C-alpha cells in the first residue's frame, strides 16, 4: 500500500492576508475561515487540499513554543498550462502580498518557470514544461 498525500498544511501568521493572497492572487477557491473552524482549506485536484493554519496552532500541535521553521525547507510546485498562465500569476503576486524571487521568469530548453514567496515566505515554483517531440 502506497502513501497518498491528501493535505498540504502551511503555517501562516495572518488568515485574512493569506486568504486574500491564495484566493484573489492565485485564484484558488475557498469558503474562507468557517465559523468554529481553525483552518482555511483550498481544494486543489485529485483529492488534494492546501490547508492554512495559524502558526500559533501548529506550535501547539508540535509542542514547540518557539516555532520558527524556515519556509525555505519546502517548495510548492505548480505545473501551469502554458507560459501565459505563469506570466498572469506572477503579475499578481506582489499586488496580493507575495514577493517575486526573480526579475523575470526563466526561459529554459525544457520550458519556462518563475519563483515567488507567499505572504508567509513559503516558496512557490510555477512552471510550464515543453512537450517533447518523439
Amino acid at each position: 500500500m502506497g502513501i497518498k498525500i491528501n493535505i498540504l498544511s502551511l503555517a501562516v501568521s495572518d488568515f485574512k492576508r493569506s486568504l486574500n493572497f491564495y484566493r484573489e492572487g492565485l485564484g484558488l477557491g475557498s469558503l474562507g475561515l468557517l465559523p468554529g473552524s481553525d483552518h482555511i482549506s483550498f481544494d486543489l485536484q485529485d483529492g488534494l487540499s492546501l490547508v492554512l493554519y495559524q502558526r500559533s496552532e501548529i506550535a501547539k500541535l508540535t509542542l514547540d513554543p518557539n516555532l520558527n521553521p524556515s519556509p525555505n525547507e519546502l517548495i510548492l510546485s505548480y505545473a501551469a498550462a502554458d507560459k501565459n498562465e505563469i506570466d498572469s500569476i506572477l503579475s499578481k503576486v506582489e499586488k496580493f502580498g507575495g514577493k517575486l524571487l526573480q526579475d523575470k521568469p526563466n526561459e529554459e530548453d525544457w520550458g519556462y518557470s518563475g519563483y515567488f514567496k507567499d505572504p508567509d515566505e513559503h516558496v512557490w515554483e510555477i512552471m510550464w514544461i515543453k512537450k517533447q517531440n518523439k
Side-chain angles (χ1 to χ4, degrees):
M1 173 193 244
I3 294 174
K4 179 180 179 188
I5 295 175
N6 298 90
I7 300 170
L8 298 172
S9 298
L10 298 178
V12 301
S13 299
D14 182 326
F15 270 149
K16 185 176 178 180
R17 177 185 70 183
S18 295
L19 176 62
N20 186 54
F21 179 82
Y22 282 99
R23 188 162 52 191
E24 304 301 325
L26 297 185
L28 300 180
S30 175
L31 296 176
L33 184 63
L34 300 175
S37 181
D38 63 352
H39 66 278
I40 296 172
S41 181
F42 300 90
D43 291 330
L44 301 178
Q45 71 285 333
D46 301 324
L48 182 64
S49 295
L50 176 66
V51 174
L52 307 179
Y53 279 97
Q54 287 284 27
R55 188 170 305 282
S56 58
E57 292 303 309
I58 290 185
K60 289 178 196 174
L61 176 72
T62 61
L63 306 176
D64 184 357
N66 300 312
L67 185 65
N68 293 312
S70 169
N72 299 323
E73 294 173 351
L74 170 75
I75 296 176
L76 298 163
S77 296
Y78 169 65
D82 55 40
K83 291 167 60 171
N84 292 332
E85 184 179 9
I86 293 172
D87 292 338
S88 175
I89 290 172
L90 292 176
S91 73
K92 297 176 192 173
V93 166
E94 292 179 313
K95 179 180 177 184
F96 290 98
K99 178 182 176 185
L100 295 173
L101 298 179
Q102 304 162 303
D103 292 334
K104 61 182 182 168
N106 298 315
E107 185 82 49
E108 305 286 349
D109 290 338
W110 58 266
Y112 191 70
S113 66
Y115 295 86
F116 63 91
K117 288 185 178 184
D118 74 5
D120 287 280
E121 306 244 337
H122 298 108
V123 177
W124 279 81
E125 170 189 42
I126 183 165
M127 69 183 126
W128 167 74
I129 301 172
K130 291 180 185 178
K131 301 278 187 222
Q132 299 296 321
N133 294 330
K134 294 183 180 184

